[in-house]
Amino acid sequence: MENATRRIENLAKQIIEELKSNWVSADVNDESEIEIQKAFDPDSLHKYLFPYHKEMRNPLVNDFLSCPLLAQPVFGLSLKEERALTRKQFEQIVVLMRKYNVSVYDFIRDPKKIAAFHQCYRFPNIALSTLFGVHFSLFGATVLFLGTDEQRERYIPLVENLGLIGCFGLTELGHGSNVQHIETIAEYDHSTQEFVLNSPTVTSQKYFIGGAATNATHSVIFAQLKVGETMEGVHAFVVNIRDKTTGQAMPGVRIADCGHKMALNGVDNGRMMFKGARVPRDQLLSRYGGVNKAGIYSSPINPAGKRFAHSIGALVFGRYIISLGCVSFSAVALTTAIRYAFSRKQFSGDEPTKEKQLISYATHQRRLFPHLANTYATHFLNEYVLNLCSEKERKEKEIHIVASGIKAYGSWMCRDSLQEARECCGGQGFLSANLIGPYKSETEIYTTFEGDNALMYQQVSKFLLTEARKNPPQPYQQPNSTQKSQLDSKYLRSFEFIQSAFNSRLNHYTLFVTDSLSDSVASGKSIMNTWNDSGNIIFKLGQYYTEKTLVDKFHAGVVACPDPTQKHAMMLLFQLFAMNNLEKDPWFLRYQFISPEQSEAINQEVTNLCKELVPYSVSLADAFGFDYRHLGPISRDWVSENKY
Amino acid sequence: MENATRRIENLAKQIIEELKSNWVSADVNDESEIEIQKAFDPDSLHKYLFPYHKEMRNPLVNDFLSCPLLAQPVFGLSLKEERALTRKQFEQIVVLMRKYNVSVYDFIRDPKKIAAFHQCYRFPNIALSTLFGVHFSLFGATVLFLGTDEQRERYIPLVENLGLIGCFGLTELGHGSNVQHIETIAEYDHSTQEFVLNSPTVTSQKYFIGGAATNATHSVIFAQLKVGETMEGVHAFVVNIRDKTTGQAMPGVRIADCGHKMALNGVDNGRMMFKGARVPRDQLLSRYGGVNKAGIYSSPINPAGKRFAHSIGALVFGRYIISLGCVSFSAVALTTAIRYAFSRKQFSGDEPTKEKQLISYATHQRRLFPHLANTYATHFLNEYVLNLCSEKERKEKEIHIVASGIKAYGSWMCRDSLQEARECCGGQGFLSANLIGPYKSETEIYTTFEGDNALMYQQVSKFLLTEARKNPPQPYQQPNSTQKSQLDSKYLRSFEFIQSAFNSRLNHYTLFVTDSLSDSVASGKSIMNTWNDSGNIIFKLGQYYTEKTLVDKFHAGVVACPDPTQKHAMMLLFQLFAMNNLEKDPWFLRYQFISPEQSEAINQEVTNLCKELVPYSVSLADAFGFDYRHLGPISRDWVSENKY
């Protein structure tokens, strides 16, 4: 019996291998073809890129892919059908989460397990990850981070066994970015030992709350806490918003549907107003401040303004999770587009039968490969953030800076990568079956959710400027004329040159912004107006810091790789990442870090690096772990799949 | 009776005016507010921007807006429902087309009428414009341009009264860009005086044909014509593909559904294979080549290769129509986002009640206004193309160059403008009701349809390089040191400086590409490989030509404006368009057209211009003619509209 099973398994493996190697159909083959050189084994690089919880990955991926409810792409549903499907899939994800013992407690105990679980996602419906994320990572992690031990024990098991479905009520119609000034009020009524929730204005309604329109039974609600006559700042409450059995809103809660969205319609975004909703005293999440039986508020953190940072500290890991997702979605699109570029041909000299593969065109290489480089860069910085989050003594400030930066960088990277991949696949990229188009629509919200990217970079800058006041960076010095006359590849691609470029830019710009802000204040402008009017340079500073960090972590990740071929291939990507950035940003010429001749040489380096990357490109893309079982038809033998 | 009607009309007008002026709710008002200064009357600028067929515009817009079937946004439908709705709407558009006497013949007789009809579109379902465009502008115009007088008279009335529904079968699975090498074969069978259509390979199936899956009864089919043993090149045939009554595919035609797409699902894209489908001799569109009763092929154009240009010449106007649409869609998004930026507030110094309008932030201005400038630039170049197309003696070569360039520029402009507007509106931009998100998804296909943008710019370059061989441009000379030390606004914003910048860049780059290609060929590379490996610089040359032309036409459009305030506001936009381009493209520093100090000054000019544009921005956006009746809730009083 066991033998028979093994034989079937072997047969299945063989078929899979055959499918893998035969994906280019005979129709599109000829002698001059550039082969998908398997320059190295992508599985081996995959293990290098994702070195933790290895034992769980293959089985989990297989579980995702062998579950038709999750793995089968379904498109073209009505809003109602899409929500219903996503809800069913959501319940299935929770089953898998339990099977692999992934717990809300892992946000503290083992963040890498949470990361690995997300990295193994293999389902085409992105809305599902959002719905699950709201329940598990926003509701669940908020209870974990802000709840007392008793509250954790009360709610977390309910999150994990679907005894409740949670959502996250922070954003209001009037306050999305400036959440410290939300208007919802929770006033303590000592006579009943309850908080009374009220939405005093139209703009104070909780808005765009994922899961609230139909699914959620509970919500974390952020509100201004009032005890007696004292406003104690923003606090989080666990609120039962909907009766689990009847689906009716609870007394004092009004819920409406936000309606249809450009994508992610599997998530039921809702809006909520409170009119005297009563919340028992012990449902104020009280780790950093609560009201005791005597009706007295106390907190270890004072004044009230300071408590806010703790209230939303839990969101920082969410920023990392977004960026992790961005790497996956970008990888799906690029793996598809690069594979398609090897099998798709167009144009020839004179003989129509000798058409050339898209991948052989310099333009096509340059459209795709820089995005692959950016995806790798994001991955390595993600890993750095994950390591920081896994340390016993967490460096909260550094985590906050890097996670904010990578959320902005990663989500824009993903947006641009998917867009380019879509265009590089033409109409095929627009077909839902090839996943690129739907992924693009469903993930572009990452640029603004959990904080608008422009604000993310401004947050990074705020930290840098505070730091710079204490330790001003070295004044910027242009390279000397000998350095600026170096035009050879070896020099331009060297880590010394690259690192110096990104460090110099950051240091120069830090002082540039500091001086510019000081001048403005000295000239009589208010601090608020100075800050707003300087928004563009402050924004850029956050970007420059993030890109400098990407360079450092990307390079460190490459040089530590034990396999020489993989290392070489990733080094080309690293150099492309750097050269592409040096080429595009006028800073380097404006502040004469490079000479005009070097700028032209760098332009040529980008083209050359792209060409050198061709033979490695499929293996590099494959290393993210998305294979023919998950990708769309154009990544495989799309000719045969279009037979009648 | 007439008096009563007039009174009702006046009352309606009054209500409309009130709605217009009251769109900022009391909730979000305070003293420090920047008012939406109606710096000028946007209707008056609208008339300047769209100076033809004025008499038809208001009634047509009103007809669109007063037709609930067209004007009411409907989202969240299943694929089937979405197609059914779009079909019903399609029939309604044809009614309006007839009401306003817009005819297929106007592609030749009065292209401005076609343009005006498209500019007046006011319906939220973009798929509708595509379905109508396929029928009217692709099928209809192809019959007009390629058909004999007799064929025109036979088919055009059927197009106009829906006696048939047409689609356009050019693209094949294997050939989207290189359409000259499509594989479908039409072999003449003299015994029956018919052409026999065959799809010899899987890749030869007609693919992604809008309207083919369920709607169309007829298609223009492009195929390689074979008469006797001679291949005569690509020709177009009118083919009855589906029985109008039963909906069944005709004998020899197999039709399948391309399936769900990331957007535009109101359009039923299909794929078609032919197996001996028989097409009567007189259905070969024969204006430029046909088979006579004796079975002899003749054409006024020889050799066969040359005929191809004529066959797809009709597509050029389609490129202009795309760019025209891009201006409208971008205008919808920007009008919404700019209006929202005036009413939406976020953050303050210390007092939460004194939050600042988004429009007051330098970052927010810089995110939105360059796109408004690009939209204006595209509009003015569109108008230039339209004028060229309306001339009696058409300059076909210039039309081809400029239309190809503006299609690439316009569709990327639209893509980026909608994306930025979406992000600037946060989650609200993602809600379908606000139109930005759906418009973004539905229009981004413009970047690749009717030809991938990268190829569009390469086509432009091909013409330029041929021209340069005959008349090489002046060698590039850097400005002198006095010129490069000029840092004042007046100098940098002057047309002389701007024009010289864009002209110099084009001239320099033309020679740069020419030299680079010659060097490559001289070194022994084949012409095909030289062309492919130089793809990136060839591409850029096409872009530089297009941007130079945008500068010329935008400026000409601004200076001719008779109203000084409008002219001033548009001049700021023009300068922003130029400064933004000068800031972003490293060419200007790399080839030392500007000094590093000028580069920094230009950066500051962009910020300053954005600030100066604030008071004009709403009027400038409104001038495109989209008002509260068409735009989403966030362009109006979104607070009241979110009441319970």
Side-chain angles (χ1 to χ4, degrees):
Chain A
M1 186 59 197
E2 206 181 296
N3 260 351
T5 316
R6 201 173 317 139
R7 254 183 295 136
I8 291 169
E9 274 179 3
N10 282 341
L11 193 65
K13 255 189 209 163
Q14 236 176 299
I15 293 170
I16 287 169
E17 285 311 310
E18 218 160 315
L19 269 168
K20 269 187 179 175
S21 57
N22 275 338
W23 66 275
V24 177
S25 95
D27 270 19
V28 287
N29 242 316
D30 78 18
E31 288 114 28
S32 66
E33 178 122 347
I34 309 170
E35 290 202 26
I36 297 196
Q37 291 179 40
K38 290 269 177 192
F40 55 80
D41 173 20
D43 290 345
S44 149
L45 180 55
H46 183 74
K47 290 192 178 85
Y48 176 72
L49 295 175
F50 303 96
Y52 37 87
H53 290 286
K54 286 184 186 170
E55 71 301 338
M56 141 178 165
R57 291 178 186 264
N58 273 337
L60 179 53
V61 165
N62 286 330
D63 278 350
F64 276 123
L65 289 170
S66 61
C67 170
L69 176 64
L70 295 176
Q72 196 62 48
V74 185
F75 301 110
L77 301 178
S78 68
L79 177 63
K80 214 173 149 184
E81 291 166 337
E82 199 168 338
R83 284 184 178 177
L85 175 70
T86 308
R87 168 60 184 264
K88 261 170 73 182
Q89 293 173 325
F90 166 76
E91 289 167 14
Q92 190 57 35
I93 292 278
V94 174
V95 170
L96 286 175
M97 185 207 88
R98 288 165 65 88
K99 176 174 172 187
Y100 288 89
N101 292 315
V102 180
S103 164
V104 171
Y105 285 102
D106 287 323
F107 282 103
I108 287 173
R109 218 160 46 192
D110 187 359
K112 289 188 176 172
K113 196 166 195 180
I114 308 254
F117 188 71
H118 282 78
Q119 285 154 350
C120 292
Y121 278 175
R122 293 292 183 278
F123 43 76
N125 179 12
I126 310 288
L128 175 52
S129 67
T130 304
L131 196 64
F132 179 70
V134 167
H135 170 73
F136 186 81
S137 303
L138 286 179
F139 183 90
T142 304
V143 170
L144 179 73
F145 284 107
L146 303 185
T148 61
D149 291 352
E150 189 277 323
Q151 287 171 325
R152 289 174 174 182
E153 282 158 34
R154 195 191 319 160
Y155 294 114
I156 290 176
L158 295 173
V159 171
E160 294 180 347
N161 65 21
L162 285 189
L164 62 77
I165 295 182
C167 63
F168 185 78
L170 175 56
T171 302
E172 296 175 355
L173 175 61
H175 290 92
S177 296
N178 184 11
V179 285
Q180 189 155 9
H181 287 127
I182 53 171
E183 301 172 74
T184 307
I185 286 190
E187 187 167 4
Y188 183 60
D189 175 358
H190 193 51
S191 68
T192 61
Q193 302 240 342
E194 288 170 324
F195 299 98
V196 186
L197 273 185
N198 273 299
S199 310
T201 61
V202 178
T203 52
S204 72
Q205 67 186 293
K206 294 295 173 187
Y207 201 87
F208 226 76
I209 309 303
T214 62
N215 283 311
T217 60
H218 287 68
S219 179
V220 167
I221 294 292
F222 288 84
Q224 304 288 355
L225 172 61
K226 188 176 180 191
V227 183
E229 287 311 305
T230 315
M231 299 302 295
E232 300 287 358
V234 174
H235 284 69
F237 303 79
V238 172
V239 181
N240 182 198
I241 57 166
R242 177 181 277 116
D243 185 277
K244 200 183 170 180
T245 322
T246 66
Q248 293 301 304
M250 299 301 285
V253 183
R254 285 191 77 168
I255 303 178
D257 200 319
C258 283
H260 191 264
K261 303 181 298 280
M262 62 162 271
L264 278 186
N265 283 300
V267 183
D268 54 309
N269 291 78
R271 47 205 186 93
M272 291 185 273
M273 278 202 111
F274 301 102
K275 191 119 198 157
R278 305 192 77 89
V279 182
R281 189 175 56 82
D282 64 355
Q283 289 176 214
L284 161 59
L285 293 172
S286 303
R287 184 159 285 262
Y288 300 110
V291 174
N292 66 14
K293 275 186 190 157
I296 310 294
Y297 177 86
S298 72
S299 165
I301 304 159
N302 289 294
K306 265 195 160 177
R307 286 168 212 149
F308 181 69
H310 278 268
S311 294
I312 60 156
L315 289 176
V316 167
F317 198 75
R319 292 181 185 168
Y320 157 75
I321 294 272
I322 288 175
S323 183
L324 174 161
C326 289
V327 167
S328 294
F329 304 128
S330 174
V332 167
L334 292 172
T335 310
T336 307
I338 292 172
R339 286 184 158 270
Y340 185 55
F342 273 84
S343 66
R344 170 82 170 171
K345 295 174 172 187
Q346 209 72 180
F347 292 108
S348 59
D350 294 314
E351 284 176 86
T353 54
K354 292 262 160 123
E355 287 191 298
K356 291 173 74 88
Q357 291 156 288
L358 297 188
I359 201 69
S360 68
Y361 290 91
T363 37
H364 211 76
Q365 296 160 12
R366 193 184 256 247
R367 286 170 84 175
L368 286 172
F369 294 163
H371 296 286
L372 187 61
N374 298 347
T375 307
Y376 265 82
T378 308
H379 169 75
F380 282 113
L381 187 50
N382 279 347
E383 288 298 295
Y384 179 73
V385 177
L386 181 60
N387 283 327
L388 284 181
C389 291
S390 306
E391 285 172 354
K392 284 245 162 64
E393 294 292 316
R394 283 164 56 111
K395 305 183 192 88
E396 294 299 343
K397 198 181 280 180
E398 189 181 0
I399 292 176
H400 193 102
I401 301 179
V402 193
S404 303
I406 197 62
K407 186 270 179 184
Y409 183 86
S411 58
W412 273 330
M413 175 284 288
C414 178
R415 174 196 74 179
D416 294 342
S417 172
L418 286 159
Q419 182 66 41
E420 196 70 65
R422 203 300 281 158
E423 293 181 33
C424 281
C425 297
Q428 293 283 6
F430 207 70
L431 282 183
S432 299
N434 290 318
L435 297 184
I436 300 172
Y439 274 33
K440 188 169 80 70
S441 301
E442 305 231 312
T443 61
E444 72 92 341
I445 192 72
Y446 294 167
T447 58
T448 56
F449 88 24
E450 307 230 2
D452 180 77
N453 280 353
L455 291 175
M456 291 291 112
Y457 277 152
Q458 287 187 36
Q459 283 187 22
V460 173
S461 293
K462 224 175 222 174
F463 279 106
L464 295 176
L465 293 170
T466 312
E467 184 60 30
R469 224 174 297 142
K470 286 180 276 177
N471 301 308
Q474 289 291 317
Y476 167 62
Q477 272 206 314
Q478 291 177 24
N480 61 39
S481 58
T482 318
Q483 290 169 312
K484 284 203 277 190
S485 63
Q486 305 272 351
L487 299 176
D488 58 304
S489 278
K490 209 181 150 203
Y491 179 82
L492 296 172
R493 294 184 185 190
S494 71
F495 183 57
E496 292 62 37
F497 172 71
I498 291 170
Q499 191 179 38
S500 157
F502 284 78
N503 284 347
S504 299
R505 188 177 62 168
L506 175 62
N507 290 342
H508 164 269
Y509 221 70
T510 307
L511 290 176
F512 179 76
V513 175
T514 313
D515 290 351
S516 162
L517 293 176
S518 310
D519 289 354
S520 170
V521 172
S523 79
K525 246 192 211 175
S526 75
I527 291 178
M528 175 73 180
N529 283 340
T530 292
W531 187 262
N532 294 345
D533 289 349
S534 310
N536 293 312
I537 57 174
I538 293 168
F539 167 89
K540 264 239 166 304
L541 178 60
Q543 179 194 329
Y544 286 168
Y545 173 82
T546 305
E547 288 175 353
K548 174 220 134 54
T549 318
L550 284 160
V551 160
D552 290 344
K553 305 312 168 196
F554 191 172
H555 188 258
V558 173
V559 294
C561 179
D563 180 282
T565 316
Q566 293 168 19
K567 187 169 161 176
H568 172 68
M570 286 197 291
M571 187 58 87
L572 293 176
L573 271 189
F574 166 75
Q575 291 161 343
L576 177 59
F577 173 78
M579 291 299 109
N580 187 44
N581 200 309
L582 273 152
E583 190 200 357
K584 288 223 170 98
D585 186 2
W587 183 92
F588 295 101
L589 279 162
R590 184 180 298 154
Y591 297 105
Q592 299 171 66
F593 184 84
I594 55 173
S595 63
E597 296 73 26
Q598 283 180 317
S599 169
E600 196 174 80
I602 284 169
N603 182 281
Q604 190 57 47
E605 287 302 324
V606 174
T607 300
N608 295 348
L609 281 162
C610 285
K611 197 165 190 176
E612 292 168 43
L613 274 162
V614 170
Y616 303 104
S617 57
V618 170
S619 294
L620 283 167
D622 282 356
F624 286 102
F626 295 90
D627 63 24
Y628 69 97
R629 294 173 297 171
H630 183 74
L631 304 175
I634 53 167
S635 71
R636 303 185 297 261
D637 181 355
W638 46 275
V639 176
S640 300
E641 299 200 28
N642 273 296
K643 274 192 184 138
Y644 278 69
Chain B
M1 187 59 198
E2 206 182 294
N3 259 351
T5 315
R6 200 174 315 139
R7 253 182 295 136
I8 291 169
E9 273 177 3
N10 282 341
L11 193 65
K13 255 190 210 162
Q14 235 176 299
I15 292 169
I16 288 168
E17 286 310 311
E18 217 160 316
L19 269 168
K20 270 187 179 174
S21 56
N22 276 337
W23 66 276
V24 177
S25 94
D27 269 18
V28 286
N29 243 317
D30 77 19
E31 288 115 26
S32 66
E33 179 123 346
I34 308 170
E35 289 201 27
I36 298 195
Q37 292 179 39
K38 290 268 178 193
F40 55 82
D41 173 20
D43 290 345
S44 149
L45 180 54
H46 182 75
K47 291 192 178 83
Y48 176 71
L49 295 175
F50 303 97
Y52 37 88
H53 290 285
K54 285 184 185 170
E55 71 300 339
M56 143 178 165
R57 291 178 185 265
N58 273 337
L60 179 52
V61 165
N62 287 331
D63 277 350
F64 277 124
L65 289 170
S66 61
C67 170
L69 175 65
L70 295 176
Q72 195 62 46
V74 185
F75 300 109
L77 300 178
S78 69
L79 177 62
K80 217 175 147 182
E81 290 165 337
E82 199 167 337
R83 284 185 178 176
L85 174 70
T86 308
R87 167 63 183 262
K88 262 170 72 182
Q89 293 173 326
F90 166 75
E91 289 167 13
Q92 190 57 36
I93 291 278
V94 175
V95 170
L96 285 175
M97 186 207 87
R98 290 164 64 85
K99 176 173 173 189
Y100 289 88
N101 293 314
V102 180
S103 164
V104 171
Y105 284 102
D106 287 323
F107 282 102
I108 288 174
R109 218 163 44 196
D110 187 0
K112 290 188 176 172
K113 195 166 195 181
I114 309 254
F117 189 71
H118 282 78
Q119 286 153 350
C120 292
Y121 278 177
R122 294 291 183 280
F123 43 76
N125 179 14
I126 310 289
L128 175 52
S129 68
T130 305
L131 197 64
F132 179 69
V134 167
H135 170 74
F136 185 80
S137 304
L138 287 178
F139 182 90
T142 304
V143 169
L144 178 73
F145 284 106
L146 302 185
T148 60
D149 291 352
E150 190 277 322
Q151 288 172 323
R152 290 174 174 182
E153 281 157 34
R154 194 190 322 157
Y155 294 114
I156 289 175
L158 294 173
V159 171
E160 293 180 351
N161 65 21
L162 285 189
L164 61 75
I165 295 184
C167 63
F168 186 77
L170 175 57
T171 302
E172 296 176 354
L173 176 62
H175 290 92
S177 297
N178 184 11
V179 287
Q180 189 155 9
H181 288 127
I182 51 171
E183 301 172 74
T184 306
I185 286 191
E187 189 167 2
Y188 183 60
D189 176 358
H190 192 51
S191 68
T192 61
Q193 303 238 341
E194 287 170 324
F195 299 98
V196 186
L197 274 186
N198 273 299
S199 311
T201 60
V202 177
T203 51
S204 72
Q205 68 186 291
K206 294 295 173 187
Y207 201 86
F208 226 76
I209 310 302
T214 62
N215 282 313
T217 60
H218 288 67
S219 180
V220 166
I221 295 291
F222 288 84
Q224 304 287 354
L225 172 62
K226 190 177 178 189
V227 182
E229 288 310 305
T230 315
M231 301 302 297
E232 300 288 358
V234 174
H235 284 68
F237 303 79
V238 172
V239 181
N240 181 199
I241 57 167
R242 176 181 277 116
D243 185 275
K244 200 184 171 180
T245 322
T246 67
Q248 293 300 304
M250 298 302 284
V253 183
R254 285 191 74 169
I255 303 178
D257 199 319
C258 283
H260 190 264
K261 302 182 297 283
M262 61 163 273
L264 276 185
N265 282 301
V267 183
D268 54 310
N269 290 78
R271 48 204 186 91
M272 291 186 273
M273 277 201 111
F274 301 103
K275 191 120 197 156
R278 303 191 77 90
V279 182
R281 189 175 54 83
D282 65 354
Q283 289 176 213
L284 162 58
L285 293 172
S286 303
R287 183 159 285 262
Y288 300 109
V291 175
N292 66 14
K293 274 185 190 158
I296 311 293
Y297 177 85
S298 71
S299 165
I301 305 159
N302 290 294
K306 265 196 162 178
R307 287 169 212 148
F308 181 68
H310 277 269
S311 293
I312 59 157
L315 289 176
V316 167
F317 198 75
R319 292 180 185 168
Y320 157 76
I321 294 272
I322 288 176
S323 184
L324 175 160
C326 289
V327 167
S328 293
F329 304 128
S330 174
V332 167
L334 293 172
T335 310
T336 307
I338 292 172
R339 286 185 158 269
Y340 186 54
F342 273 84
S343 66
R344 171 80 170 172
K345 295 176 173 187
Q346 208 72 182
F347 291 109
S348 59
D350 295 313
E351 283 176 85
T353 53
K354 292 262 160 125
E355 287 191 297
K356 289 173 76 88
Q357 291 156 290
L358 297 187
I359 201 68
S360 69
Y361 289 92
T363 38
H364 210 76
Q365 295 160 13
R366 192 185 255 248
R367 288 170 84 175
L368 287 173
F369 293 162
H371 297 285
L372 187 62
N374 298 346
T375 306
Y376 265 82
T378 309
H379 169 75
F380 282 112
L381 187 49
N382 279 348
E383 289 297 296
Y384 179 72
V385 178
L386 181 60
N387 282 327
L388 284 181
C389 290
S390 305
E391 284 172 356
K392 284 244 161 66
E393 294 292 316
R394 282 165 56 111
K395 306 183 191 88
E396 294 298 346
K397 197 180 280 181
E398 189 182 359
I399 292 176
H400 192 102
I401 303 178
V402 193
S404 303
I406 197 63
K407 186 270 181 184
Y409 184 87
S411 57
W412 273 330
M413 173 286 287
C414 177
R415 174 195 75 178
D416 295 341
S417 172
L418 286 159
Q419 182 66 42
E420 197 70 65
R422 203 300 281 158
E423 293 182 31
C424 281
C425 297
Q428 293 284 6
F430 207 69
L431 283 183
S432 299
N434 290 317
L435 298 184
I436 299 172
Y439 273 34
K440 187 167 82 70
S441 301
E442 305 232 311
T443 60
E444 74 94 340
I445 192 71
Y446 294 166
T447 58
T448 57
F449 87 24
E450 306 228 5
D452 180 78
N453 280 353
L455 291 174
M456 290 293 112
Y457 277 153
Q458 287 185 37
Q459 284 188 21
V460 173
S461 292
K462 225 176 222 172
F463 280 105
L464 295 177
L465 293 170
T466 313
E467 184 60 29
R469 223 175 298 142
K470 287 179 275 178
N471 301 308
Q474 287 292 316
Y476 167 62
Q477 271 206 314
Q478 291 178 23
N480 61 38
S481 59
T482 317
Q483 289 168 313
K484 284 204 276 190
S485 63
Q486 305 271 353
L487 301 176
D488 59 303
S489 279
K490 209 181 151 202
Y491 179 82
L492 296 172
R493 294 184 185 189
S494 72
F495 183 56
E496 292 63 36
F497 172 72
I498 291 170
Q499 192 180 36
S500 156
F502 284 77
N503 284 346
S504 300
R505 187 176 64 167
L506 175 62
N507 289 343
H508 163 269
Y509 220 70
T510 306
L511 290 175
F512 179 76
V513 175
T514 314
D515 291 350
S516 163
L517 293 175
S518 312
D519 290 353
S520 170
V521 172
S523 79
K525 246 191 211 174
S526 75
I527 290 178
M528 176 72 181
N529 284 340
T530 292
W531 187 262
N532 294 345
D533 290 348
S534 310
N536 293 311
I537 57 174
I538 293 168
F539 167 90
K540 264 236 164 310
L541 177 60
Q543 180 194 327
Y544 287 169
Y545 173 81
T546 305
E547 288 174 353
K548 173 219 133 57
T549 317
L550 284 159
V551 160
D552 290 343
K553 304 312 167 197
F554 192 172
H555 188 259
V558 173
V559 294
C561 179
D563 179 284
T565 315
Q566 294 168 19
K567 187 168 162 178
H568 172 68
M570 286 198 290
M571 187 58 87
L572 294 176
L573 270 189
F574 167 75
Q575 290 162 341
L576 177 59
F577 173 79
M579 292 299 111
N580 188 44
N581 200 309
L582 274 152
E583 190 201 356
K584 288 225 170 99
D585 185 2
W587 183 93
F588 296 100
L589 279 162
R590 185 181 298 155
Y591 297 104
Q592 298 171 66
F593 184 84
I594 55 172
S595 63
E597 295 73 26
Q598 283 179 318
S599 169
E600 196 175 80
I602 284 168
N603 182 280
Q604 189 58 48
E605 286 302 324
V606 174
T607 301
N608 295 349
L609 281 162
C610 286
K611 197 165 188 174
E612 291 168 43
L613 274 161
V614 170
Y616 303 104
S617 56
V618 169
S619 294
L620 284 167
D622 282 355
F624 285 102
F626 295 91
D627 64 23
Y628 70 97
R629 293 173 298 171
H630 183 74
L631 304 175
I634 53 167
S635 71
R636 303 186 298 260
D637 180 357
W638 46 275
V639 176
S640 300
E641 299 200 29
N642 272 297
K643 274 192 184 141
Y644 279 68

